Amino acid sequence: MSTKGKKDKPDPKKKGDEAAYRIGGADGESSYGLTMRALLHQYTQTHTLTEVDEDGEHPLFPRPRGRGEKLATGVGDGHSAVAGEAEASAKEQVLISQILRRIDTEKLTHVKELFMNKDNALDSKDFVDVLLGNVRSMEGGEDRMIDGIELLHARLAQEKEVDENDDSKHDPGENPAFLTEGHQGEEDGSRRIVTWNMFAKLLLDEGVVSDVIGSFDISQVLSLIDLDKIAPLQDTFKQKGHLNLEDFVIIMKSQFQQVFELITLFGLHEEEKKLIAQLINLYEMIDVGGKESMTWEEFTAFLVDQGMAEDVPQQYNTIRFSQSPLRDDTVHQSHCEMAIYFKGYDKIAFVEQGSKSLKVCTPDMVNHAEIKEFTQTPLCAEYIDKYSYVVVSCSDLSLSFFDVDNGLKLARRIETKTAQLVLCWSQVAEVLFSADHDGRILAWDLSRIKAGPDREAGKGDAGRDGKPSMPKLTGDAEAPHEWRKFVKAEIAKQDPPMRHIDIDSQREDLLFHSGHQETRRKTKTTPRNATGQSIVMMLLELPALQQLASCGVDRNIMTWDVFTGTWRRTLRGHEMGVRCMAFAASTKVLVSGGYDYTLFVWNPYVGKYIHTIQGHSAPIVGLEVLGSPSNQVVSADSDGYVKTWDLGTYQCLQTLFVDEVLTLRALISIPSHKRIFAVDRTFIAYDYENTGKPDQTEEDPLIKAFYHAKMKVFVTGTVSHVKVWDAATGGVRVIITHTETEITDFCFDDRGRKIFVSDNRGDTYVYHSSTGCRVKKLTPHSKEVSGMIYCAGDKNIITVSWDRSIVIHDDFEHSPKIRRKSTNAHKGDITCIAYSRHLGLIATGSTDCVIAVREYLRLRILSFLLGHKTDITAMAFVEPYPLLVSADFSGNVAIWALPTVSGKHHKFANSVLTRFINMQSLESSASVNCVDPVCEAKDGEPKFTLYTGDEDGDVRVWDLAPLLQAADIEPCQPIPESEWDPCKKVETDASHTTETMARRAASLDVPELQAQIDKPVVRQGTSWKAHNDSMRTLKVYHDPQFILTAGYDGMVKIWERDGRLMTVLRAYGTTPWNFPVDHEDAGVEIKTLDHILSKVREADKNRVSDTTLLPKFTAPSLASRAEADSLTAHKSKNTK
């Protein structure tokens, strides 16, 4: 991160810097130092904010007080005392929370030793001495840290006293975090002490430890570490030669020593299992070939490839930013205090620091106008499309209305009681809302403002519309109260009025003082905050809810009815002031950000936050949703980092670093121009492109999709690229592109570590599923590869081609190797293939209308199935039965009885048992492109269900259970392992039989699919419209239970078994991602995990201390995570 031009913080003890001193206090006590400093610079010219109260204090900047000093309250003012205590308690809780977040978790083992050195009984002074050196620096310096640690000690001691009084002490049991060497004796009643188990329990309850361990991703940490830091591992690799899984896990565990020490210290055994499972997965990712050995070269090559592949998915997401060639040539006198885009006017307005004018320019940064009708600095502006007004609030306590249709001439001006800091026009209610420093929200009636005051009260000239203009109110005795005539009457009479203060607490106070009428009136009118915490930072309309949202320095967001001004609810969660908000119309969620560096995603209907997004390390100054249909939001912080987020998956899609600014002050989004601006002393433009459509998987037709249960990923493909999607988040993990030729098919290996991609040139490439890097190339065909299937457990892959050959490739060897091959397998082009490990069979279909059934191990032909009269479009074996389902271009679906490898054939072997036609209407049929037979047992009876997907995008479910009984079909036993030899080498040429079979298939002597079972054994069940174009994939999965479909309409959809839509794979849109998968399940077999855990614990017992493998890799703290984002952003920039 660039620090060019960054200024040192002012010394509050120097003369002339009284403002900074009063913001932070002499000892940096205020928790709102940065916020108050920013507000001071912004609002110093506001008249009402420069006055002091009766105690001689500024409402924003109270005088600094010593530790423990309280604000004096009036005698008998019970409400003020209660409010003051509540406010102080809230501040204390915030400070304690900040201390807990800054505890250095890597030193907790040392902290426990310090507890034991002090006999495990720490008073406040000892507690401060122990923790002070183990808490990372924070705003306010050491004095503030000491205050926080003392408050933490007091809280722990107080909780212990309550527990003792209630006789409900917590028994830590056998958790090693609570086991201490020393035994604590009787406590000194005059001393409040804290023990290690009290402190450890708090760390667990508050999630301090689990947050670090739970978010720790070993692969991510390794990808961000420079290779020279990993170099000390090389000697260990060299000593071992080739590492097996056990050696790798033990060695890598020692490199993440601090994390595992935390786990041991707090007895987090489940977290230990998860991290060990991560290491097992990491080993399998690197050992892509499944050789169960790893070299140093393979380890480092994987880290390089992974680092290069990190940003690859981002360029395929919906919105991708790049710096615009547009340049801001305007000479700005100082930085911009305020910048806003007027949507209906299509103009940008901004105010420079110290300026008394509002400048207006186009989105192409061409100067348009400058409004100079002000005596003080403009504070905010808004455009009202219905009235063609630009409204400007100024620090001279005025609201000015400028007529766009009349050259931005002043149409009306109203003097207000206080300076209005923010404005928002409600299109739903047609009301202009404004808010001031004291939390008051006013609703302005634009119809009254446009018409002017009542004629009997009016003086002055007529306006251009023939109606009387506003009299000059300044200097008139009635002027200070004239503004009341222009507020919305229905909202102005609301009791309590619209005011950004804690309504819930106010109501509690009213209930508490129910017996004192005078006190109740005082509760409504007395300012709630004398410290500037009522300042409203932003107003935002939520059109779908017909509500207005307000956010402020008090850390809260409040929502209001735009028609009545009634308070709806208060959204709580932020730890510091909320500065900006954005509403995503597509998903109806509210996003907020502010001075705690955190984004909150809220469900405004219920007032609860759905998710929190970490990623910024500075105050968030801008939030924008990128267009109404978009589910992506862009956020910007004051350090110059701009991030794009997917609100469906909460993933960061892109990070930009704006190094041209010193302090980023505003973010402007212009969706109609597909452009954003980062604003400081200049406007830095970024353009973006939409590379997808809402609720759309791909813009191009999909050729295939499938789900891999072990890896918990979906895989989709078009003719140009293959994508791997995370099933837990719905986000893209990896993209593999094919730019020179068109992709025809693809599949995973059984371990989920490799992707095989074939093309129309006859080539088949192997890629790493985690990095997208090419691993090898298989022996090519001479023509297009039309189908491929991976043989699980055999490390073989079958490919068929339009060159009429069947090839079984050896996947174990790094160099291309063929195990079995059959040439001239058909007279026509091979269009589809099916494989059954249980039956040991391969079936291929062709344009010659012939289905050939072969033994998998020898490629010996068992039979040719004749009866189809058009191209074969789909096939599937019906395991464990000796049955095959086939479909053709005419819409016919046939069920065949097959011969078996064992020689025990069914009486109808090589014949059609039954057939049916996939009818779209009484007159037309639709070609079936995909079939999936499902055999299950229900109530002890076998059940045979066939799912079909056709050319028109329809899914149909067929009940074929009666067929099993009518044809007397029994399940086959699998081929014994002793007879299974997948490495057998065979090469055959079937030309002597295929030509004969092709002629027979075309002969009129062969009837079309003559069925042997004349009973009605097929019943159509459920059907539904799944796609708007031809379906290319239909697959039924059992864990979890769902149906996956994909089609030429570019959609991948996930269904319940009964046809109800669960979710869709999409880049963004209104459909939420809702897939039932456990994202915490690492996909490692329990047997493997238990074995490795036992070996690790055995190694831990025998391990001798060794520090030769330094430096150790550590869990990222909050600060280092921000550094990781910075590193990723710079790495991406340098790569470009």
Side-chain angles (χ1 to χ4, degrees), residues 367-469:
N367 292 330
H368 177 72
E370 183 174 1
I371 304 175
K372 301 181 178 180
E373 306 283 341
F374 311 109
T375 60
Q376 296 292 336
T377 301
L379 298 175
C380 58
E382 178 69 297
Y383 176 70
I384 304 174
D385 197 18
K386 179 178 180 179
Y387 295 93
S388 296
Y389 277 170
V390 171
V391 188
V392 183
S393 172
C394 189
S395 57
D396 62 3
L397 311 186
S398 67
L399 272 180
S400 303
F401 299 80
F402 298 90
D403 193 339
V404 170
D405 295 336
N406 197 21
L408 288 173
K409 288 187 178 180
L410 179 64
R412 297 286 182 267
R413 175 166 286 158
I414 300 173
E415 184 173 334
T416 57
K417 181 179 180 181
T418 58
Q420 304 303 298
L421 307 182
V422 288
L423 297 169
C424 177
W425 168 251
S426 168
Q427 291 184 339
V428 175
E430 297 186 348
V431 174
L432 176 67
F433 289 95
S434 66
D436 63 12
H437 69 282
D438 206 21
R440 295 183 181 88
I441 302 175
L442 300 178
W444 302 93
D445 190 332
L446 263 293
S447 60
R448 292 188 181 185
I449 291 173
K450 185 176 178 64
D454 297 336
R455 288 183 178 273
E456 57 270 20
K459 301 176 183 179
D461 301 329
R464 64 181 179 89
D465 55 1
K467 296 179 181 179
S469 298

Side-chain angles (χ1 to χ4, degrees), residues 287-589:
D287 180 27
V288 66
K291 298 179 295 183
E292 298 183 357
S293 68
M294 182 194 303
T295 64
W296 171 250
E297 289 73 19
E298 290 172 334
F299 176 66
T300 53
F302 171 80
L303 297 183
V304 172
D305 291 343
Q306 186 187 40
M308 293 174 62
E310 277 181 346
D311 292 332
V312 172
Q314 296 176 2
Q315 60 183 304
Y316 288 92
N317 278 285
T318 308
I319 292 175
R320 177 74 179 176
F321 288 97
S322 60
Q323 190 152 358
S324 173
L326 178 67
R327 292 291 179 266
D328 178 14
D329 296 327
T330 306
V331 178
H332 297 277
Q333 301 301 319
S334 58
H335 67 257
C336 297
E337 281 288 351
M338 181 274 293
I340 188 172
Y341 172 66
F342 296 147
K343 181 180 178 182
Y345 191 22
D346 196 28
K347 297 292 185 295
I348 297 172
F350 60 92
V351 177
E352 296 167 346
Q353 184 189 34
S355 172
K356 297 180 181 179
S357 65
L358 179 78
K359 296 182 179 180
V360 182
C361 66
T362 69
D364 294 325
M365 298 311 298
V366 176
N367 292 330
H368 177 72
E370 183 174 1
I371 304 175
K372 301 181 178 180
E373 306 283 341
F374 311 109
T375 60
Q376 296 292 336
T377 301
L379 298 175
C380 58
E382 178 69 297
Y383 176 70
I384 304 174
D385 197 18
K386 179 178 180 179
Y387 295 93
S388 296
Y389 277 170
V390 171
V391 188
V392 183
S393 172
C394 189
S395 57
D396 62 3
L397 311 186
S398 67
L399 272 180
S400 303
F401 299 80
F402 298 90
D403 193 339
V404 170
D405 295 336
N406 197 21
L408 288 173
K409 288 187 178 180
L410 179 64
R412 297 286 182 267
R413 175 166 286 158
I414 300 173
E415 184 173 334
T416 57
K417 181 179 180 181
T418 58
Q420 304 303 298
L421 307 182
V422 288
L423 297 169
C424 177
W425 168 251
S426 168
Q427 291 184 339
V428 175
E430 297 186 348
V431 174
L432 176 67
F433 289 95
S434 66
D436 63 12
H437 69 282
D438 206 21
R440 295 183 181 88
I441 302 175
L442 300 178
W444 302 93
D445 190 332
L446 263 293
S447 60
R448 292 188 181 185
I449 291 173
K450 185 176 178 64
D454 297 336
R455 288 183 178 273
E456 57 270 20
K459 301 176 183 179
D461 301 329
R464 64 181 179 89
D465 55 1
K467 296 179 181 179
S469 298
M470 281 290 299
K472 290 188 177 181
L473 300 177
T474 305
D476 184 22
E478 296 291 325
H481 306 286
E482 287 288 337
W483 63 272
R484 299 182 184 275
K485 297 181 179 181
F486 302 101
V487 296
K488 198 77 171 178
E490 297 85 349
I491 298 177
K493 65 183 181 182
Q494 180 68 34
D495 186 20
M498 293 181 72
R499 191 170 177 192
H500 188 88
I501 58 175
D502 194 341
I503 297 294
D504 288 347
S505 295
Q506 186 182 38
R507 290 179 176 177
E508 290 173 6
D509 291 338
L510 288 170
L511 183 62
F512 182 76
H513 297 290
S514 57
H516 305 280
Q517 185 68 26
E518 183 178 353
T519 306
R520 288 203 303 275
R521 287 197 301 269
K522 188 170 185 179
T523 301
K524 293 182 182 179
T525 58
T526 302
R528 298 282 300 169
N529 298 288
T531 60
Q533 294 180 31
S534 294
I535 294 175
V536 178
M537 302 298 293
M538 185 177 181
L539 297 175
L540 177 70
E541 185 181 26
L542 313 180
L545 285 73
Q546 299 184 344
Q547 293 179 13
L548 178 79
S550 61
C551 66
V553 181
D554 65 348
R555 305 184 296 273
N556 294 333
I557 300 169
M558 303 180 71
T559 57
W560 315 83
D561 188 297
V562 293
F563 293 101
T564 64
T566 306
W567 167 81
R568 291 301 185 190
R569 55 183 51 87
T570 301
L571 313 181
R572 300 180 180 85
H574 281 280
E575 294 184 2
M576 298 189 73
V578 186
R579 177 160 178 175
C580 47
M581 300 178 291
F583 182 69
S586 61
T587 53
K588 296 180 177 59
V589 298

Side-chain angles (χ1 to χ4, degrees), residues 105-107 109 213 253-264 1110-1115:
T105 54
E106 295 177 11
K107 298 180 180 179
T109 303
I213 297 173
K253 178 179 179 290
S254 68
Q255 299 309 300
F256 297 99
Q257 182 178 342
Q258 289 84 353
V259 180
F260 283 96
E261 281 182 354
L262 271 182
I263 288 173
T264 303
L1110 294 176
K1112 307 294 184 186
F1113 311 143
T1114 60

